[in-house]
Amino acid sequence: MSVLINNSLNGLVTILHVASKIDIWYWKTIVPSWFSSPIITTKRIIVKNILSILFICTLIFGFTNPTKRLPNITIADLQGKPVNIQEYVANGKTTIISFWATWCAPCKRELDAIAELYPTWEADYNTKLVAITIDNSRALTQVKPLIEEKGWEFDVLVDGKQELQQALNFQTIPQTFVVDKDGNIVYEHSGYTPGDEYELEKLIQKLAGK
């Protein structure tokens, strides 16, 4: 959510800056000989009033950005069966999506930490966790043995060609997304530091209304 607010503020500052530059350039370059004219002064007042209205509208509506949703991309489950990610999250639950790989140590630490809390999250907060591996076909052979070794009981999907990763526009893993019950991405986070799972728990508690 903080990402959306920051983007709105940056967009607001950019709009006001550009509008101010255009206003000054027009009245000083296009009509320099009229600059002190009462008519032009009146027009400048009108322009400034318009800019003020734009400022207020941007301030009001800038925080209501179009909701970000998952792209319409099909990946696969561990058996190779196609899974459309949009349809997958249309389950009426809060869905946590964690991108990982077998070679990524922080990813495995994060999933281990979440796995301990997941039964409570699933029961109390109506939350579903899916771990999406970006391992290629060669490394994919290590995924099932690792899941069995870890005892992970959540779904694991495969984005072997990194199509979903590219569509979501991130480079590093672990990368975590939270999708609300309406299919909107309401949170995203890169990396893992011990304790991040508790911040995640606060968010899904809030989404569950608890």
Side-chain angles (χ1 to χ4, degrees):
M1 194 65 68
S2 61
V3 173
L4 295 179
I5 293 175
N6 287 336
N7 288 342
S8 296
L9 289 174
N10 290 337
L12 174 60
V13 170
T14 301
I15 289 172
L16 293 176
H17 178 74
V18 172
S20 176
K21 291 293 184 181
I22 291 174
D23 180 43
I24 294 172
W25 172 83
Y26 179 77
W27 296 111
K28 287 188 176 180
T29 304
I30 303 301
V31 286
S33 61
W34 302 347
F35 196 76
S36 299
S37 165
I39 296 176
I40 298 304
T41 300
T42 300
K43 288 183 178 181
R44 282 181 57 81
I45 293 173
I46 293 172
V47 170
K48 288 185 178 297
N49 287 338
I50 292 173
L51 290 175
S52 297
I53 293 171
L54 289 174
F55 172 84
I56 294 170
C57 290
T58 305
L59 188 63
I60 293 173
F61 299 109
F63 296 102
T64 313
N65 282 331
T67 52
K68 183 177 179 181
R69 302 177 72 88
L70 290 172
N72 185 21
I73 287 179
T74 297
I75 51 179
D77 64 15
L78 291 176
Q79 288 69 47
K81 181 181 177 181
V83 177
N84 181 280
I85 194 64
Q86 283 187 349
E87 295 175 0
Y88 181 88
V89 301
N91 51 32
K93 300 181 178 182
T94 297
T95 304
I96 300 169
I97 301 175
S98 179
F99 284 84
W100 71 291
T102 54
W103 45 263
C104 173
C107 300
K108 290 181 282 188
R109 287 197 296 269
E110 179 180 49
L111 290 173
D112 282 340
I114 292 177
E116 294 183 8
L117 302 172
Y118 182 53
T120 300
W121 293 3
E122 191 174 26
D124 294 352
Y125 310 131
N126 194 31
T127 296
K128 186 177 184 65
L129 169 65
V130 56
I132 301 180
T133 176
I134 62 169
D135 281 304
N136 58 29
S137 57
R138 183 175 180 180
L140 197 57
T141 57
Q142 305 174 39
V143 172
K144 286 184 181 180
L146 180 63
I147 293 171
E148 293 175 0
E149 176 190 335
K150 296 285 190 179
W152 292 340
E153 297 183 354
F154 42 80
D155 290 350
V156 176
L157 300 178
V158 180
D159 185 26
K161 295 181 180 180
Q162 292 88 52
E163 293 177 343
L164 183 55
Q165 177 187 4
Q166 292 172 17
L168 288 170
N169 193 31
F170 67 90
Q171 303 298 322
T172 60
I173 54 173
Q175 182 81 11
T176 304
F177 295 87
V178 176
V179 182
D180 68 15
K181 63 181 181 180
D182 297 318
N184 303 313
I185 298 175
V186 296
Y187 173 86
E188 57 184 283
H189 178 74
S190 180
Y192 173 68
T193 301
D196 284 349
E197 62 273 18
Y198 297 110
E199 294 301 315
L200 195 57
E201 183 171 35
K202 291 178 183 177
L203 174 61
I204 62 176
Q205 276 182 321
K206 183 178 179 180
L207 293 172
K210 297 185 177 182

